[in-house]
Every structure is written in structure tokens, then in C-alpha cells.
Amino acid sequence: AGFDDWRLPSRMELLSITDKTKYKPAIQDGFKNAFFGAYWSSSPNVPDSSSAWYAHFQDGGVHYYKCSGVYFYVRCVRDSQ
């Protein structure tokens, strides 16, 4: 998209775009190309830093899982200018 400052969102940023009144995908209106799978965040699970938080846009839940060998979607964000 012509920018080079994309990053993974935090757990709270992902949670802020979920919509638990919706299902498959449980995401707010206006977000295009949203699948109802799991999306990684940049937030590690403390105290187990080998796992990280993710949002599942099937139902809007936020959970954590081991990072190694797992393939989830990513939805990158940019800081506002």
C-alpha cells in the first residue's frame, strides 16, 4: 500500500475491532477481507513468552497459543500520522 511502517497489532488493538454481536466473522463493519480464522497479535503471553495472544474472528474471542509451528492470519496496522 506504499508504506513501510506496518506492524502487528497488540492484543488490545485486535480486541477493539471485534464485534461479538456478529459471527463468522466477528469483526466490526468496514474491515474488508476478514476471514473467520485466528489472527496473531504482537502481545506475548506473560509469563510464557513462547506463546502469544491472538483474536479469533469466528466469535471475537481472544486467546493465547504457542508460536512455534502454528500458522494464523495477520492483520497489519499502522500508527496514525
Side-chain angles (χ1 to χ4, degrees):
F3 300 99
D4 62 0
D5 57 348
W6 296 99
R7 62 176 176 79
L8 285 179
S10 70
R11 173 181 63 162
M12 295 308 293
E13 287 172 319
L14 276 178
L15 184 60
S16 75
I17 64 171
T18 62
D19 183 344
K20 290 191 176 208
T21 66
K22 298 182 177 186
Y23 187 71
K24 288 187 174 183
I27 192 169
Q28 294 176 9
D29 291 335
F31 289 93
K32 296 179 181 179
N33 303 317
F35 299 101
F36 57 87
Y39 287 78
W40 282 120
S41 80
S42 62
S43 302
N45 175 35
V46 177
D48 180 7
S49 63
S50 68
S51 60
W53 288 91
Y54 68 92
H56 204 297
F57 288 121
Q58 177 174 331
D59 60 4
V62 179
H63 314 277
Y64 60 89
Y65 201 79
K66 297 279 185 195
C67 298
S68 179
V70 178
Y71 300 98
F72 289 162
Y73 294 106
V74 295
R75 178 168 283 278
C76 295
V77 297
R78 295 180 63 233
D79 291 324
S80 60
Q81 300 298 319

